[in-house]
Amino acid sequence: MQAFAIEDAAVLDALFSSDLGLGLAVLDRDLRYQRMNSSLAAFNGVSVDAALGRKVSEVLPAAYPEIAPLLDKVLAGEPQEGLRVIAEVPSLPGQASEWRASYLPIRARDGTVNGVLVKAVNMTLQQAHQRALAASEARLRSLFEQAPEGMTLVDAEGRMLLVNRNMGELFACESEQLVGQHVNMLLPEARRATHRVEMGRYLQAPTKRVMAERRKLTARRLDGSEFPVEVALNPIPGREPAEILATVVDITERLADQAAMEASLREKTLLLNEVHHRVKNNLQIVASLLDIHSRSAEGAAREVLRDSRSRVGVIAMTHQLLYEGSNFSGLEFGPYLGKLVQLLKQTYVRETTSVELLLDVPAHGMRIETHKTVPSGLIINELVVNSYKHAFAGRSSGCIRVSARRDGPQAVLEVGDDGVGLPAGFVPMNSRSMGYQLVFMLAQQIGAEVEVLPSPGTGLRFTFPIDD
């Protein structure tokens, strides 16, 4: 092709719209760029927008002295084809690039030259790109081969195009034996027909299935043995028809470890369940003994025995609830306090029938850790018993209140009565009585802040942290 006529505009449009790795440009008679494709812009190191409307001498100042004589000959009507040009361009500053270039005159209808068609390839840059691409492909191939998991590249027909070494080891064969084979050969025969349908549906709109979304399947080795696997799928971008990179992991050991862990957990759960059951039974025996002795005791000794029986009962009840539940990490506070109040009523209501014991707690949604249930139960026991004994002296009726609520990450527990109240100047935190000392010691155990509630009567508020 010696020259382009103006009628060849359609040919130019086709050339510029194609992506052949060939740099193309159109210059006018002043050697200004009128058109440029993306390939030449990349070869030059100057964007298309930055080049259009500017002269060659402005866009490629270092290369212009080399190509100016050639362009002058083309404007005079003499094509310059198949040239080897050595010139420096912005894409490779500070070094000379080797070009393969042709410069052809573009003629008007009357035959005059009104522009130049430039066809050029920066061989130096292209070779550098090819070397980089080859190095990148080599690195990717090495990573593919050395991957600790089985990997295969599958085409839209389900044929394995590439198979790494570990894939061959998983299926007890050489990796080359799998290349070109359909992936269905790696599945049990009973699954193959279903898998073809599933694979066809997936390939219509392939999506990435990451490690966390791996599908658990049963695979079949070439020797006929079967084993459990997980499979992750990654569509290769830009491939038409679709190609999928499949990653396969043998999970035999993981499932065995999981089964062993679950068996160990069941064994420990049964053991812990038995511990709670035996502790509960032993404490109930102790409570019964204390109850028997309290019946024959008199005065202060009887009170001490009954109070001790009440405390032991609280602890026994906690172990009973843990034994009956399925989660030993804690208890729902509302039902727990409901059982505790019933226990206190059974112990003290016979002698104080005119005193009401009211409970205001949530039915669910307020779980208390196991190590806080016994201390909080004992706190309520001490305060309620104290109210029964001392709050209503000289009165025929009264009310004791136990309430609990959740306030964000904290539990708020209140125990109070409408009785005679505390003596003037009495500070519960400074009391030397066994009951109050026990209450504040238990409050420290659960990390509770303690407040004295305002009159009437006597009341304390405990605020302590709980887990979600």
Side-chain angles (χ1 to χ4, degrees):
M1 183 185 297
Q2 298 298 313
F4 276 101
I6 193 67
E7 290 83 357
D8 295 321
V11 178
L12 283 176
D13 289 339
L15 283 173
F16 274 81
S17 63
S18 64
D19 183 12
L20 303 176
L22 175 66
L24 296 172
V26 171
L27 308 175
D28 62 15
R29 284 199 62 85
D30 293 329
L31 301 181
R32 294 181 184 276
Y33 287 99
Q34 301 301 307
R35 299 183 70 171
M36 177 185 288
N37 70 355
S38 58
S39 294
L40 187 60
F43 289 148
N44 287 339
V46 179
S47 69
V48 174
D49 291 340
L52 294 182
R54 299 175 64 197
K55 292 184 176 183
V56 176
S57 59
E58 296 172 331
V59 175
L60 305 173
Y64 185 70
E66 177 75 17
I67 61 178
L70 304 174
L71 296 175
D72 289 341
K73 290 180 181 180
V74 176
L75 291 175
E78 182 182 346
Q80 304 293 309
E81 296 189 85
L83 302 177
R84 177 175 178 268
V85 178
I86 305 297
E88 181 185 340
V89 290
S91 60
L92 293 170
Q95 70 177 83
S97 300
E98 179 181 348
W99 292 77
R100 291 290 183 268
S102 293
Y103 305 96
L104 305 176
I106 299 176
R107 298 182 182 276
R109 288 190 177 87
D110 60 5
T112 60
V113 177
N114 62 2
V116 178
L117 174 67
V118 180
K119 299 191 297 179
V121 175
N122 187 327
M123 301 300 295
T124 302
L125 190 62
Q126 189 177 67
Q127 290 166 4
H129 287 167
Q130 289 172 347
R131 288 193 297 271
L133 180 60
S136 177
E137 289 178 349
R139 286 193 296 271
L140 289 175
R141 186 59 183 255
S142 176
L143 290 172
F144 178 80
E145 286 295 333
Q146 299 302 320
E149 301 167 323
M151 301 183 77
T152 179
L153 184 66
V154 182
D155 67 14
E157 301 298 321
R159 304 286 174 184
M160 290 178 277
L161 306 177
L162 294 172
V163 178
N164 75 347
R165 176 177 52 82
N166 279 329
M167 190 74 169
E169 292 180 0
L170 277 180
F171 289 91
C173 64
E174 296 296 327
S175 57
E176 291 78 8
Q177 292 178 253
L178 301 179
V179 175
Q181 301 294 326
H182 198 282
V183 292
N184 261 11
M185 73 177 295
L186 306 179
L187 297 175
E189 291 187 11
R191 276 280 296 144
R192 293 179 182 178
T194 305
H195 183 258
R196 281 187 181 274
V197 175
E198 292 173 351
M199 186 176 66
R201 189 182 301 118
Y202 172 78
L203 288 170
Q204 291 177 4
T207 57
K208 182 177 181 180
R209 289 179 180 169
V210 296
M211 298 299 182
E213 299 170 350
R214 286 180 171 185
R215 297 190 59 196
K216 292 180 175 63
L217 300 170
T218 299
R220 180 180 183 274
R221 298 186 181 92
L222 268 60
D223 62 9
S225 60
E226 297 183 0
F227 62 106
V229 296
E230 283 182 344
V231 179
L233 303 177
N234 289 277
I236 304 300
R239 297 296 179 92
E240 187 61 40
E243 291 180 357
I244 310 296
L245 181 65
T247 304
V248 183
V249 179
D250 183 349
I251 59 173
T252 302
E253 290 187 7
R254 189 198 306 171
L255 293 180
D257 291 343
Q258 182 178 335
M261 186 183 304
E262 290 173 352
S264 176
L265 181 59
R266 286 194 298 271
E267 181 182 350
K268 288 179 172 58
T269 300
L270 290 172
L271 178 60
L272 190 55
N273 205 346
E274 181 65 17
V275 167
H276 283 302
H277 182 58
R278 289 182 180 274
V279 170
K280 178 263 299 182
N281 286 345
N282 291 337
L283 288 172
Q284 285 180 340
I285 292 172
V286 173
S288 297
L289 291 173
L290 291 171
D291 195 34
I292 292 170
H293 284 295
S294 69
R295 293 172 190 170
S296 60
E298 295 181 359
R302 183 179 182 184
E303 288 296 319
V304 170
L305 288 171
R306 190 171 63 167
D307 291 349
S308 298
R309 186 243 182 268
S310 178
R311 291 164 185 150
V312 172
V314 170
I315 302 172
M317 185 199 69
T318 303
H319 284 280
Q320 172 69 23
L321 293 176
L322 288 169
Y323 169 70
E324 294 173 351
S326 59
N327 188 339
F328 298 134
S329 64
L331 292 172
E332 280 287 344
F333 208 38
Y336 172 69
L337 296 186
K339 297 276 189 181
L340 175 58
V341 164
Q342 288 301 316
L343 179 65
L344 292 170
K345 283 182 177 180
Q346 291 170 8
T347 305
Y348 289 94
V349 77
R350 288 172 295 182
E351 298 179 9
T352 323
T353 55
S354 58
V355 175
E356 287 188 279
L357 179 53
L358 303 179
L359 180 66
D360 180 14
V361 293
H364 55 81
M366 189 177 176
R367 190 172 187 80
I368 304 296
E369 306 95 301
T370 299
H371 66 279
K372 294 181 181 178
T373 52
V374 170
S376 59
L378 288 173
I379 287 172
I380 294 170
N381 177 80
E382 293 300 319
L383 294 176
V384 169
V385 169
N386 192 66
S387 292
Y388 269 129
K389 289 182 178 180
H390 307 294
F392 308 107
R395 289 177 48 178
S396 60
S397 64
C399 179
I400 302 172
R401 301 174 308 279
V402 177
S403 68
R405 69 178 187 277
R406 182 168 189 149
D407 185 9
Q410 293 185 314
V412 180
L413 171 65
E414 295 182 359
V415 183
D417 59 58
D418 61 355
V420 298
L422 296 171
F426 181 83
V427 179
M429 291 76 164
N430 299 332
S431 173
R432 301 186 65 180
S433 70
M434 179 180 174
Y436 274 119
Q437 287 186 22
L438 181 59
V439 165
F440 292 110
M441 180 188 71
L442 294 168
Q444 285 184 337
Q445 285 187 16
I446 63 176
E449 295 182 3
V450 185
E451 303 172 66
V452 178
L453 297 176
S455 297
T458 303
L460 293 176
R461 175 185 294 132
F462 303 83
T463 305
F464 56 95
I466 55 175
D467 292 339
D468 291 331

